[in-house]
Amino acid sequence: MSNEGSGEDLQIRFRHSSGTDIGPFSFEDGNTIQSVKSVVFGRWPTDGPLVKECPSSAADLRLLCSGQFLDNSKTLKDYRKLMGSTEPLAVVTMHVLVRPPQAGKAADKVDSDPGKP
Protein backbone atom coordinates (compact mmCIF):
# COMPACT_ATOMS: atom_id res chain seq x y z
CA MET A 1 0.00 0.00 0.00
CA SER A 2 1.35 3.42 -0.94
CA ASN A 3 0.70 6.27 1.50
CA GLU A 4 1.64 9.91 1.53
CA GLY A 5 2.11 9.65 5.30
CA SER A 6 5.03 8.12 7.11
CA GLY A 7 3.63 4.62 6.71
CA GLU A 8 4.41 3.90 10.35
CA ASP A 9 2.91 0.80 11.88
CA LEU A 10 0.49 1.20 14.75
CA GLN A 11 -0.43 -1.60 17.12
CA ILE A 12 -4.12 -1.33 17.97
CA ARG A 13 -6.19 -3.43 20.34
CA PHE A 14 -9.98 -3.20 20.27
CA ARG A 15 -11.89 -3.39 23.55
CA HIS A 16 -15.52 -4.43 23.50
CA SER A 17 -17.93 -3.08 26.13
CA SER A 18 -17.86 -6.56 27.74
CA GLY A 19 -14.18 -5.95 28.56
CA THR A 20 -12.99 -8.52 26.01
CA ASP A 21 -10.09 -7.46 23.80
CA ILE A 22 -9.62 -8.22 20.11
CA GLY A 23 -6.07 -7.98 18.81
CA PRO A 24 -3.71 -6.19 18.88
CA PHE A 25 -3.34 -5.88 15.12
CA SER A 26 -0.79 -3.92 13.12
CA PHE A 27 -1.95 -1.09 10.82
CA GLU A 28 -0.22 1.59 8.79
CA ASP A 29 -1.20 5.13 9.71
CA GLY A 30 -2.53 5.63 6.16
CA ASN A 31 -5.27 3.01 6.65
CA THR A 32 -8.80 4.40 6.62
CA ILE A 33 -11.11 3.73 9.53
CA GLN A 34 -13.30 1.75 7.13
CA SER A 35 -10.40 -0.59 6.30
CA VAL A 36 -9.61 -0.95 10.02
CA LYS A 37 -13.25 -1.94 10.65
CA SER A 38 -12.99 -4.50 7.85
CA VAL A 39 -9.97 -6.10 9.54
CA VAL A 40 -11.73 -6.19 12.92
CA PHE A 41 -14.83 -7.70 11.32
CA GLY A 42 -12.75 -10.31 9.48
CA ARG A 43 -10.97 -11.30 12.69
CA TRP A 44 -14.01 -11.21 15.00
CA PRO A 45 -13.68 -14.04 17.53
CA THR A 46 -15.57 -17.22 16.69
CA ASP A 47 -15.64 -18.43 20.27
CA GLY A 48 -15.94 -16.86 23.70
CA PRO A 49 -18.21 -14.08 24.94
CA LEU A 50 -18.20 -12.01 21.72
CA VAL A 51 -19.95 -14.72 19.67
CA LYS A 52 -23.26 -13.54 21.14
CA GLU A 53 -22.75 -10.07 19.66
CA CYS A 54 -21.29 -10.90 16.26
CA PRO A 55 -21.64 -8.08 13.69
CA SER A 56 -23.22 -8.99 10.34
CA SER A 57 -20.83 -6.64 8.47
CA ALA A 58 -18.03 -4.13 9.08
CA ALA A 59 -20.68 -1.39 8.81
CA ASP A 60 -22.17 -2.65 12.10
CA LEU A 61 -18.99 -1.66 13.96
CA ARG A 62 -18.34 1.72 15.59
CA LEU A 63 -14.83 2.63 16.71
CA LEU A 64 -14.07 5.10 19.46
CA CYS A 65 -10.79 6.66 20.50
CA SER A 66 -10.54 9.02 23.46
CA GLY A 67 -14.34 9.24 23.60
CA GLN A 68 -14.73 10.26 19.94
CA PHE A 69 -16.47 8.20 17.26
CA LEU A 70 -14.14 7.73 14.30
CA ASP A 71 -15.22 8.70 10.78
CA ASN A 72 -14.98 5.93 8.14
CA SER A 73 -13.37 8.16 5.51
CA LYS A 74 -10.54 9.46 7.72
CA THR A 75 -7.21 7.72 8.25
CA LEU A 76 -5.51 6.60 11.43
CA LYS A 77 -3.02 9.41 10.89
CA ASP A 78 -5.90 11.90 11.22
CA TYR A 79 -6.51 10.58 14.76
CA ARG A 80 -2.91 10.28 15.99
CA LYS A 81 -3.30 13.11 18.51
CA LEU A 82 -6.23 11.27 20.12
CA MET A 83 -4.17 8.07 20.38
CA GLY A 84 -1.58 9.47 22.77
CA SER A 85 1.75 7.64 22.77
CA THR A 86 2.41 5.80 19.52
CA GLU A 87 6.04 4.96 20.25
CA PRO A 88 7.39 1.67 18.90
CA LEU A 89 5.95 -1.29 20.83
CA ALA A 90 3.15 0.89 22.27
CA VAL A 91 -0.33 -0.56 21.85
CA VAL A 92 -3.23 1.84 21.36
CA THR A 93 -6.60 0.77 22.76
CA MET A 94 -9.74 1.72 20.85
CA HIS A 95 -13.24 0.78 21.86
CA VAL A 96 -15.47 -1.17 19.51
CA LEU A 97 -19.25 -1.17 19.64
CA VAL A 98 -21.57 -3.38 17.64
CA ARG A 99 -24.76 -1.76 16.39
CA PRO A 100 -27.87 -3.74 17.14
CA PRO A 101 -29.48 -5.18 13.97
CA GLN A 102 -32.50 -2.88 14.30
CA ALA A 103 -30.34 0.30 14.25
CA GLY A 104 -30.51 0.44 10.43
CA LYS A 105 -30.16 3.57 8.31
CA ALA A 106 -30.74 6.10 11.09
CA ALA A 107 -27.46 5.07 12.74
CA ASP A 108 -25.55 5.37 9.44
CA LYS A 109 -26.16 9.13 9.46
CA VAL A 110 -24.38 9.41 12.81
CA ASP A 111 -21.19 7.86 11.34
CA SER A 112 -20.36 10.99 9.36
CA ASP A 113 -21.07 13.30 12.30
CA PRO A 114 -18.76 12.46 15.21
CA GLY A 115 -20.79 14.84 17.38
CA LYS A 116 -19.51 17.85 19.22
CA PRO A 117 -20.53 18.79 22.76
Side-chain angles (χ1 to χ4, degrees):
M1 174 187 285
S2 175
N3 296 320
E4 290 181 16
S6 62
E8 292 181 38
D9 279 347
L10 299 169
Q11 296 295 315
I12 304 176
R13 146 186 46 227
F14 301 90
R15 182 157 295 156
H16 186 266
S17 59
S18 68
T20 303
D21 288 345
I22 304 168
F25 305 124
S26 183
F27 297 96
E28 289 186 4
D29 61 3
N31 284 105
T32 64
I33 299 305
Q34 183 61 48
S35 68
V36 171
K37 286 181 176 183
S38 293
V39 169
V40 174
F41 173 70
R43 295 185 178 181
W44 196 263
T46 56
D47 59 356
L50 295 183
V51 171
K52 296 176 185 175
E53 197 174 352
C54 187
S56 58
S57 73
D60 290 341
L61 299 177
R62 298 293 308 269
L63 299 181
L64 290 100
C65 185
S66 298
Q68 181 176 342
F69 283 104
L70 306 186
D71 187 299
N72 287 340
S73 63
K74 292 192 176 182
T75 66
L76 290 170
K77 185 175 182 177
D78 295 328
Y79 292 109
R80 278 189 84 93
K81 287 183 183 178
L82 291 177
M83 292 182 207
S85 174
T86 55
E87 297 174 7
L89 305 178
V91 177
V92 174
T93 300
M94 290 187 180
H95 290 88
V96 61
L97 301 174
V98 179
R99 287 189 185 136
Q102 68 272 18
K105 291 287 184 185
D108 288 344
K109 293 179 183 178
V110 178
D111 236 358
S112 61
D113 180 17
K116 295 183 181 176

